[in-house]
Amino acid sequence: MAILVTGGAGYIGSHTVVELLEAGLEVVVIDNLCNGSREAVRRVERITGKPVRFVQCDIRDRQGLDALFREHAIEAVIHFAGLKAVGESVGKPLEYYENNVYGTLVLCQAMEAVGVRRMVFSSSATVYGAEAPVPYVETTTRGTTSNPYGTSKAMVETLLEDLVVADKRWSVALLRYFNPIGAHPSGLIGEDPQGIPNNLMPFIAQVAVGRRDELTIFGSDYPTTDGTCERDYLHVVDLAVGHLKALKAVEAPGVSIYNLGTGQGVSVLEMVGSFTRVTGVEVPYRFGDRRPGDLPAFWADASKAAQELGWSAEKSLDEMMADTWRWQSANPQGYAE
Ligand code: NAD
Ligand code: WQD
């Protein structure tokens, strides 16, 4: 029996496939490569020394999914596939709802048809909305999301919860990630955003490697220790390990929700300072306007995952910086070379 990983050619998916294979599990990857790379899958094979079964298919393609489930005996699905750019989602709501919500719906229907009813889903801290008290705790109800991307994650959470209510055989883990960064310590796989990076860490890395002139820090007058926003950055390998642990949680029916974060807030200025201290590479920056929709500061209460899954983030901020730089400096253009 194998684990089906949707979006396994992407950033978090590829790191998770490494952990699954290294734990001795069988894996099938499905990805339409709209934001992932075939090369990432080849590099996962290099890291692990194991072949990866890869199927290029869209999760909205029901016939393709049916064929996949016929061909491979799947016991559970880790579902990463989807679109993730917050800003882009504002201009393309239909694409986001179709990929993220309809795509999940089709995937669940195909799973139901073959009696595979275990899913680990990539949700996001964004579902807490703007009003939730910090640190975010899983018992806080979902808040008002401020963009179609965030709303699509909240909608999928609702969809999966309703599925479990309707059919007690379903088992779902909703993993609410905070800010994953870093790369595999081998330097072979990492984050490879297309175009101008939306997120802080890849932007810093691209400035450091000379692909961009300077970082703009969005806002310097937030009510935080140094005026810049604070986030809970966690190492992508820790996050990947969290999925392995969550597979245990979906052995029992029902819905479980887990924050995956470190429990620590780190400011944008601290991120820049830490990168330079660890790598020795200066990152020129200037302060710009606040980015619409940014919250001043949030981080996880990560105690539930520790208690119930035995998972805690173990890697330090220094390791996140060192591993990001190993990946970026060895692959200045990402997988494109
Ligand atoms: P990513 O874009 O690197 O990976 C997503 C993968 O899904 C890509 O390889 C893409 O080609 C594939 N994909 C997209 N739509 C598809 C479809 N319709 N059919 C098949 N494949 C499809 O993103 P990531 O950073 O690895 O994120 C993985 C998941 O985690 C996403 O669902 C994302 O929303 C969620 N998430 C990410 C973050 C983050 O900061 N990176 C935070 C919280 C949640
Ligand atoms: C972090 C901090 C920016 C870029 C987003 C999504 C969220 C989740 C993770 C998927 C903020 C600042 C950034 C730059 C900057 N994704 N920044 N200059 O906004 O916490 O979360 O990614 O679920 O849903 O909203 O992460 O990396 O974009 O920003 O100053 O060029 O860095 O203002 O304070 P964010 P981020």
Side-chain angles (χ1 to χ4, degrees):
M1 297 288 267
I3 308 299
L4 176 64
V5 180
T6 76
Y11 172 46
I12 306 169
S14 57
H15 287 80
T16 301
V17 174
V18 169
E19 298 305 318
L20 295 170
L21 291 171
E22 288 186 341
L25 295 168
E26 281 185 54
V27 177
V28 178
V29 169
I30 170 180
D31 199 299
N32 68 358
L33 300 182
C34 72
N35 198 43
S37 161
R38 190 71 185 82
E39 178 61 16
V41 180
R42 281 192 281 271
R43 294 195 185 185
V44 167
E45 293 180 324
R46 259 174 78 187
I47 292 168
T48 60
K50 296 181 180 177
V52 175
R53 287 183 279 174
F54 176 78
V55 181
Q56 186 168 348
C57 180
D58 196 297
I59 54 164
R60 294 164 292 178
D61 173 359
R62 177 63 195 271
Q63 286 182 349
L65 289 179
D66 287 346
L68 184 151
F69 281 112
R70 268 198 306 275
E71 196 172 327
H72 303 281
I74 303 296
E75 59 179 310
V77 177
I78 305 183
H79 178 30
F80 294 103
L83 303 180
K84 65 162 182 177
V86 171
E88 182 186 66
S89 77
V90 176
K92 298 180 175 173
L94 299 181
E95 277 185 39
Y96 273 70
Y97 291 123
E98 185 181 322
N99 257 282
N100 297 1
V101 183
Y102 173 70
T104 303
L105 189 67
V106 175
L107 175 63
C108 289
Q109 287 169 334
M111 289 170 66
E112 175 66 38
V114 290
V116 177
R117 298 189 181 88
R118 292 181 189 174
M119 179 184 281
V120 176
F121 174 63
S122 299
S123 190
S124 168
T126 196
V127 302
Y128 285 105
E131 308 300 331
V134 175
Y136 291 168
V137 188
E138 292 90 341
T139 45
T140 304
T141 47
R142 279 185 290 272
T144 308
T145 44
S146 56
N147 55 74
Y149 168 75
T151 307
S152 77
K153 290 291 174 192
M155 287 167 80
V156 171
E157 284 200 357
T158 305
L159 183 163
L160 294 172
E161 285 170 345
D162 287 347
L163 192 53
V164 172
V165 169
D167 185 339
K168 302 278 182 281
R169 292 172 298 179
W170 272 85
S171 176
V172 171
L174 307 175
L175 303 186
R176 294 178 177 166
Y177 314 156
F178 282 69
N179 290 59
I181 61 168
H184 191 268
S186 64
L188 285 171
I189 56 172
E191 189 167 10
D192 182 21
Q194 309 301 304
I196 301 169
N198 300 302
N199 298 112
L200 179 64
M201 192 71 244
F203 206 106
I204 290 176
Q206 289 195 9
V207 172
V209 85
R211 278 174 71 177
R212 316 219 166 256
D213 292 340
E214 65 176 6
L215 169 74
T216 301
I217 295 182
F218 299 139
S220 56
D221 58 352
Y222 282 100
T224 57
T225 44
D226 61 22
T228 64
C229 291
E230 292 171 10
R231 294 289 182 272
D232 183 340
Y233 298 93
L234 81 158
H235 198 295
V236 66
V237 171
D238 278 333
L239 180 58
V241 170
H243 291 76
L244 254 183
K245 305 271 186 181
L247 279 177
K248 276 265 158 229
V250 294
E251 283 176 7
V255 179
S256 43
I257 305 178
Y258 296 103
N259 287 339
L260 296 183
T262 64
Q264 304 285 325
V266 177
S267 78
V268 178
L269 275 175
E270 285 170 332
M271 291 290 284
V272 175
S274 171
F275 183 86
T276 297
R277 183 174 46 73
V278 170
T279 65
V281 183
E282 290 294 332
V283 177
Y285 65 83
R286 66 177 182 85
F287 290 108
D289 292 340
R290 289 183 176 197
R291 184 171 66 176
D294 271 348
L295 298 175
F298 62 84
W299 53 88
D301 178 330
S303 54
K304 188 179 178 206
Q307 281 156 18
E308 296 187 10
L309 300 179
W311 178 89
S312 324
E314 288 177 357
K315 290 179 177 274
S316 65
L317 192 60
D318 284 7
E319 286 171 284
M320 299 181 215
M321 297 300 168
D323 290 338
T324 298
W325 185 232
R326 192 175 301 107
W327 152 253
Q328 186 71 77
S329 53
N331 305 271
Q333 304 298 327
Y335 294 114
E337 288 175 324

